Amino acid sequence: MGNVPTTVKHCLSYRQIIEEYPWFRSWLQEEKSITKHDYPEFVKIVEVGPRDGLQNEKEIVPTRVKIQLIDMLSTTGLSVIEATSFVSSKWVPQMADHADVVKGIQRVPHVRYPVLTPNIQGFQDAVAAGATEVAVFGSASETFSRRNINCSISESMLRFEEVISAAKDRQIPVRGYVSCALGCPHEGRIEPSQVAEVAKKLYEMGCYEISLGDTIGVGTPGSMFKLLQKVMNDVPISALAVHCHDTYGQALPNILTALQMGVSVVDSAVAGLGGCPYAQGSSGNVSTEDVLYMLHGMGIGTDWR
Amino acid sequence: ALPQTVKIVEVGPRDGLQNEKTIVPTEAKINLINMLSESGLPVIEATSFVSPKWVPQMADQVEVMKGIRKKPGVSYPVLTPNLKGFQAAVSAGASEVAIFGAASELFSKKNINCSVEESLQRFEEVMKAAKEAAVPVRGYVSCVVGCPYEGQVAPEKVAHVAKRLYSMGCYEISLGDTIGVGTPGSMTKMLEAVTKEVPVSALAVHCHDTYGQALANILIALQMGISVVDSSVAGLGGCPYAQGASGNVATEDVVYMLHGLGIETGVDLSKLMDAGAFICRTINRKTSSKVAQATCKL
């Protein structure tokens, strides 16, 4: 209000001035409307600390400690806790005790304990150990797929089809992950259409939920917005989750953007467990505590009880 | 709609270094400010003209002001808590100053030893002298979404203090989440109240990252029309009220987000990171910027 005398500014509130003196508004030539957002009333948090977190920590954690961690998490009101991964212990030694973990945890009613199953072998082992929910892990990047799971995207989809088919027979729900959703450590830029294609395939195959992962944490609210805008055309927003990494400190604003677009499922890891294997010394998963702090501060519920 | 450009007010050399344990040699402060000037930042808060008895880290205020290489087009505001500080700042060559009010009575008493009203009266003196000298004044309001002593702070109180500072003649009011407790929820409520009293183009946000909420809070502020953001290179400056907690949000992380949103800042991120790396080496401290942590090892 540059030219307005101090006394006038002092007496009248800015809002009052522009409401009561319409000529004033054009004189000031400013009109800013405050954006109001609709946020979900409840957000489901998918706790990936015991799996994604511990899988990427340098120290191999003893089985009983893993079980204790999961049991403690089960008492907090979290409704989904990803317990372990049935990948070959040759590739992921940190998860070698997968069967013992699944058998050892105290299952709390209404809490779900999904496990990763990269192929039919892993699925069968998981079911034998008592798993009642599984997850499959696709990638939006060809190079990442080949380097990470040794096959192309379309080959991986064939593997997942087997898993999903077997899961359907046993009425076991399957969650789908798409990694490198906002960037790839090898390919760099990833187009939203690449992500949408994989997400759609997984959804149509029968995954009940698709978690879009910013694997190296390079995304920002800008790229998150563009990604969701595209994927929403192919997968209903209620079936989408975001799995943001905090490598560049962008996780919370990215999650906020996703919430503003209607996403109501957020993956996170207690204590921000799990570094980023592609960037030495940098952070990885977003911490569940920080996500909860933000959600609660916004009046959004997270406790299923 | 988001702003097309955002002005970043770099507070590292003042707010940052003021709250670091290690006292930084004058030469290093000057070098830091010069490096920041080269990175494209439009505003760099250089130092604080408070009594060295209270803030020894800023005792070399005059040498810093005289020693820095002022880049044309860049402002170098300094804090001036009272008339005496203002006069010292101007004789040292300052051409912009800042004053610091609080939205919390207890915080005002404990921090600057007087009530909010008394502090505003002190500032009137500074404002008068600044007007006569044609020196622009920026106003800060601290504890806008929470106070370490009072806890919750009423948005109306923040709006009241902001309005007072603005109508006194401050060209811009920076709203500070001093202990970093704010979330998009409390930020929205506070900004709704303040924008009723002060035009949004005259507002800035100064978010602390103590609870990891800074970037989310800044994003909300941008969505509400704010286009001025305070931050500190390398996230310098811990939070004195929460031991071991982080303080200022890191400029590198803010710039990364803004550029990702297609918003212009005029800042060259790699030159900024050089400045951050320099000061961290100098005070033997690990950077608090996630972007710096991620980039340096790749």
Side-chain angles (χ1 to χ4, degrees):
Chain A
M1 296 205 275
N3 313 347
V4 179
T6 311
T7 36
V8 177
K9 281 195 267 185
H10 213 83
C11 302
L12 300 172
S13 83
Y14 176 60
R15 191 51 63 92
Q16 191 182 351
I17 292 176
I18 64 172
E19 273 165 14
E20 291 183 19
Y21 304 94
W23 52 266
F24 208 82
R25 180 178 286 165
S26 53
W27 189 30
L28 293 175
Q29 287 175 325
E30 53 196 28
E31 179 79 71
K32 294 239 153 74
S33 59
I34 294 169
T35 325
K36 283 259 185 209
H37 291 281
D38 282 317
Y39 294 104
E41 278 186 5
F42 184 89
V43 162
K44 179 177 79 176
I45 301 234
V46 174
E47 170 59 50
V48 300
R51 198 276 310 164
D52 192 4
L54 295 185
Q55 180 175 309
N56 286 304
E57 287 289 328
K58 287 194 195 61
E59 309 219 353
I60 294 195
V61 177
T63 310
R64 59 176 168 74
V65 171
K66 283 180 181 145
I67 290 170
Q68 192 179 3
L69 171 65
I70 295 168
D71 288 345
M72 286 178 86
L73 291 168
S74 294
T75 65
T76 62
L78 287 162
S79 56
V80 186
I81 302 165
E82 207 173 61
T84 186
S85 181
F86 281 79
V87 289
S88 159
S89 47
K90 194 172 61 174
W91 300 119
V92 187
Q94 295 91 328
M95 299 281 121
D97 55 2
H98 35 230
D100 295 330
V101 169
V102 174
K103 288 177 185 163
I105 54 176
Q106 264 169 19
R107 285 164 181 267
V108 171
H110 303 292
V111 180
R112 290 145 56 193
Y113 303 89
V115 299
L116 244 65
T117 53
N119 48 38
I120 193 73
Q121 178 69 57
F123 175 79
Q124 283 157 353
D125 294 342
V127 171
T132 48
E133 184 172 324
V134 300
V136 294
F137 225 96
S139 173
S141 153
E142 269 301 339
T143 316
F144 190 86
S145 187
R146 284 177 201 276
R147 297 233 190 141
N148 209 40
I149 53 174
N150 251 325
C151 62
S152 70
I153 295 177
S154 43
E155 280 163 357
S156 72
M157 292 295 134
L158 293 172
R159 283 185 203 173
F160 302 150
E161 218 156 6
E162 272 196 274
V163 172
I164 294 170
S165 177
K168 268 193 195 127
D169 287 340
R170 292 169 176 277
Q171 286 167 334
I172 287 179
V174 183
R175 188 187 210 226
Y177 279 94
V178 184
S179 58
C180 297
L182 291 169
C184 170
H186 315 294
E187 288 183 17
R189 202 187 148 89
I190 295 287
E191 292 301 325
S193 53
Q194 289 170 262
V195 185
E197 206 184 308
V198 178
K200 182 178 179 186
K201 191 92 175 72
L202 288 168
Y203 186 68
E204 283 171 352
M205 280 203 283
C207 292
Y208 75 92
E209 194 169 88
I210 311 298
S211 173
L212 305 171
D214 182 7
T215 307
I216 45 170
V218 289
T220 62
S223 51
M224 175 62 86
F225 180 84
K226 290 190 183 118
L227 170 69
L228 289 173
Q229 229 184 5
K230 188 83 179 79
V231 179
M232 269 161 69
N233 289 332
D234 295 309
V235 179
I237 201 89
S238 54
L240 288 175
V242 288
H243 183 115
C244 300
H245 277 197
D246 207 35
T247 322
Y248 289 77
Q250 308 296 306
L252 285 188
N254 289 343
I255 290 168
L256 182 62
T257 301
L259 295 174
Q260 290 176 348
M261 293 181 80
V263 171
S264 61
V265 184
V266 175
D267 298 1
S268 58
V270 64
L273 286 177
C276 176
Y278 301 97
Q280 289 271 354
S282 60
S283 65
N285 280 302
V286 67
S287 7
T288 306
E289 296 92 317
D290 298 6
V291 174
L292 286 175
Y293 189 90
M294 181 173 81
L295 296 175
H296 294 171
M298 293 166 70
I300 296 173
T302 59
D303 190 327
W304 69 265
R305 296 173 293 193
Chain B
L2 295 174
Q4 282 183 337
T5 19
V6 161
K7 176 175 84 175
I8 298 205
V9 175
E10 170 59 50
V11 300
R14 199 276 309 165
D15 194 4
L17 297 184
Q18 181 174 307
N19 286 304
E20 287 290 328
K21 288 191 196 63
T22 329
I23 293 193
V24 178
T26 309
E27 203 184 292
K29 281 182 185 146
I30 290 170
N31 196 22
L32 171 65
I33 294 169
N34 290 343
M35 288 181 85
L36 292 168
S37 297
E38 290 310 307
S39 73
L41 287 160
V43 185
I44 302 164
E45 210 172 58
T47 186
S48 183
F49 280 79
V50 288
S51 160
K53 194 172 57 172
W54 301 119
V55 187
Q57 295 92 328
M58 300 280 123
D60 55 2
Q61 5 165 281
V62 176
E63 292 108 289
V64 168
M65 266 332 273
K66 291 191 174 155
I68 56 176
R69 196 171 50 235
K70 294 192 183 181
K71 190 159 190 226
V74 180
S75 313
Y76 300 88
V78 300
L79 246 64
T80 52
N82 48 37
L83 188 61
K84 186 157 165 251
F86 174 80
Q87 286 157 349
V90 170
S91 21
S95 43
E96 184 174 324
V97 301
I99 56 179
F100 234 101
S104 150
E105 284 296 342
L106 270 176
F107 188 84
S108 189
K109 286 222 168 66
K110 297 232 183 175
N111 210 39
I112 51 175
N113 250 328
C114 62
S115 73
V116 172
E117 188 54 46
E118 281 163 354
S119 73
L120 292 172
Q121 279 159 18
R122 270 186 215 173
F123 298 147
E124 296 256 16
E125 280 193 321
V126 176
M127 293 307 308
K128 185 156 175 276
K131 263 188 203 126
E132 277 160 25
V135 170
V137 183
R138 186 186 210 228
Y140 279 94
V141 184
S142 51
C143 297
V144 299
V145 278
C147 169
Y149 310 105
E150 286 186 8
Q152 283 210 352
V153 175
E156 291 68 37
K157 178 84 182 195
V158 182
H160 170 78
V161 178
K163 182 187 172 177
R164 281 291 299 274
L165 289 169
Y166 185 66
S167 52
M168 260 197 258
C170 292
Y171 76 92
E172 193 170 89
I173 312 298
S174 173
L175 305 166
D177 180 8
T178 308
I179 46 171
V181 291
T183 63
S186 52
M187 278 299 283
T188 302
K189 289 192 180 105
M190 183 272 297
L191 288 172
E192 274 173 353
V194 178
T195 48
K196 286 196 174 92
E197 305 296 337
V198 181
V200 72
S201 54
L203 291 174
V205 288
H206 184 114
C207 298
H208 278 199
D209 206 36
T210 323
Y211 288 77
Q213 309 295 305
L215 287 187
N217 291 342
I218 289 168
L219 181 60
I220 282 287
L222 296 175
Q223 291 175 342
M224 292 179 78
I226 304 248
S227 61
V228 185
V229 175
D230 298 1
S231 59
S232 175
V233 63
L236 288 177
C239 176
Y241 303 99
Q243 287 276 354
S246 65
N248 281 303
V249 67
T251 308
E252 298 93 316
D253 300 2
V254 174
V255 170
Y256 187 90
M257 180 172 82
L258 295 175
H259 289 182
L261 281 163
I263 295 174
E264 296 199 6
T265 61
V267 177
D268 179 332
L269 185 54
S270 61
K271 287 194 177 147
L272 176 65
M273 290 204 281
D274 288 342
F278 161 74
I279 192 64
C280 288
R281 271 197 314 271
T282 308
I283 59 177
N284 200 21
R285 175 208 203 276
K286 211 175 140 211
T287 182
S288 298
S289 155
K290 292 244 165 110
V291 171
Q293 283 170 30
T295 325
C296 66
K297 301 278 173 55
L298 269 176

